[in-house]
Amino acid sequence: MALLDFSNVWVEYGDKVVLEQVDLSIEAGSFVSIVGASGAGKSTFLRLALGQERPTRGSIWLDGEPLTPEPGPDRGVVFQRYSVFPHLSARDNVVFGLDCAGSPLLGRLTGARRRAAVAEAEEMLEAVGLGDAINVFPAQLSGGMQQRLAIAQALIKKPRILLLDEPFGALDPGSRLDMHELITRLWREHGLTIMMVTHDIKEAFKLGTRVLAFDKRRRDPQAPHRYGSTAVYDFPLDKKDAVIPDALTQMTAR
Ligand SMILES: Nc1ncnc2c1ncn2[C@@H]1O[C@H](COP(=O)(O)OP(=O)(O)OP(=O)(O)O)[C@@H](O)[C@H]1O
Ligand SMILES: [Mg+2]
């Protein structure tokens, strides 16, 4: 059984179709890269997987059960930027993740449980390379460090699925390479399933075990909103030296 199943999924806003006929199975442990032109519905697809948005038609299954409408602790998310709290230190940003996951009814963690949470947060910050920045506030961190913090905040909840929406898009090339190493290591060590949107097709092929490309299968020049996107290419990558198809390079350059 697949971890996540999308069965004939559609997303429509009024008469505007954003996604149509999305039929995909995501296997546990895979690293799925998602590419496509701007507006192709990639973020919408991630929001569906997160449970933040409901399909207007079709169904989504997690472990063979209907996906719950709210984002659950089994799914973590990292956006391109600004997903950390500026008024909290690095440590408290990560502890906050546990505050939410640990006792949603009782509010903040206290006493021994809080001390355990702080120790766990510090360990996670160490793991993402922020061991020296535990007391630092986000404004004092570089873009790459802020993304490390956002990843730590998402991973502390021990999600099985990590959703990344252009997580390295705002970083310089050197920091990007460092983040590639980090995310590959965390994916392996934590046995994660990752779904990552990127505009960088080389990054998609380098990191992914599978690359999905979203685009419209049909177009109506008189009414561009009439048809939605779907996964028009689906490449399983057995080898890391896979050749990027020309059609894909052209499509994502649009
Ligand atoms: N609440 C909404 N109401 C109407 N249209 C929406 C809404 N949310 C998203 N859309 C539309 O859905 C389409 C897909 O948006 P989405 O953000 O998923 O694209 P994307 O592939 O992530 O693009 P980008 O690469 O620019 O981030 C866009 O045309 C957008 O305008
Ligand atoms: Mg997007």
Side-chain angles (χ1 to χ4, degrees):
M1 188 174 57
L3 178 60
L4 263 179
D5 263 308
F6 293 79
S7 170
N8 190 26
V9 165
W10 293 61
V11 173
E12 296 146 294
Y13 294 104
D15 58 1
K16 176 178 182 172
V17 183
V18 173
L19 292 175
E20 64 178 46
Q21 285 179 344
V22 177
D23 278 298
L24 287 168
S25 291
I26 309 290
E27 300 297 332
S30 54
F31 192 136
V32 182
S33 299
I34 299 158
V35 299
S38 187
K42 304 178 299 294
S43 296
T44 304
F45 179 65
L46 283 198
R47 284 200 304 277
L48 288 173
L50 191 60
Q52 237 174 26
E53 184 158 342
R54 305 294 296 161
T56 44
R57 293 190 239 172
S59 47
I60 306 172
W61 307 82
L62 177 65
D63 287 327
E65 304 279 334
L67 187 82
T68 52
E70 288 301 315
D74 43 8
R75 282 154 284 157
V77 66
V78 176
F79 298 104
Q80 185 173 11
R81 51 172 83 181
Y82 307 133
S83 56
V84 294
F85 301 104
H87 60 289
L88 295 179
S89 69
R91 180 202 286 112
D92 288 345
N93 258 288
V94 180
V95 171
F96 182 81
L98 280 177
D99 265 339
C100 296
S103 50
L105 296 176
L106 299 173
R108 308 194 54 158
L109 299 167
T110 52
R113 287 181 64 202
R114 177 157 193 91
R115 282 194 295 279
V118 167
E120 217 179 307
E122 290 181 357
E123 209 174 293
M124 185 55 78
L125 285 165
E126 197 76 51
V128 299
L130 289 180
D132 294 334
I134 281 168
N135 292 308
V136 170
F137 285 80
Q140 296 155 270
L141 297 174
S142 70
M145 290 164 95
Q146 290 201 26
Q147 286 310 77
R148 287 170 191 270
L149 178 55
I151 290 169
Q153 196 183 49
L155 284 186
I156 196 81
K157 289 179 245 182
K158 305 200 169 55
R160 292 193 296 154
I161 307 175
L162 185 63
L163 303 163
L164 305 169
D165 199 347
E166 298 184 47
F168 316 133
L171 305 182
D172 63 84
S175 309
R176 252 178 188 231
L177 283 182
D178 290 346
M179 296 303 279
H180 289 173
E181 273 175 35
L182 174 69
I183 206 70
T184 303
R185 175 165 63 75
L186 294 172
W187 168 57
R188 293 213 179 98
E189 284 177 5
H190 293 251
L192 292 166
T193 305
I194 294 185
M195 295 165 72
M196 177 190 75
V197 171
T198 176
H199 275 279
D200 180 341
I201 199 154
K202 290 208 181 89
E203 181 173 272
F205 275 76
K206 175 184 170 191
L207 298 181
T209 56
R210 179 180 181 186
V211 177
L212 298 176
F214 277 78
D215 196 8
K216 291 182 200 288
R217 246 195 205 119
R218 43 188 188 162
R219 287 170 205 282
D220 181 343
Q222 264 72 52
H225 299 333
R226 183 156 165 213
Y227 299 119
S229 301
T230 192
V232 291
Y233 291 96
D234 184 350
F235 300 97
L237 303 179
D238 299 329
K239 290 182 283 195
K240 282 291 164 196
D241 56 354
V243 178
I244 299 173
D246 281 348
L248 200 56
T249 313
Q250 285 159 19
M251 193 195 89
T252 49
R254 255 208 318 273

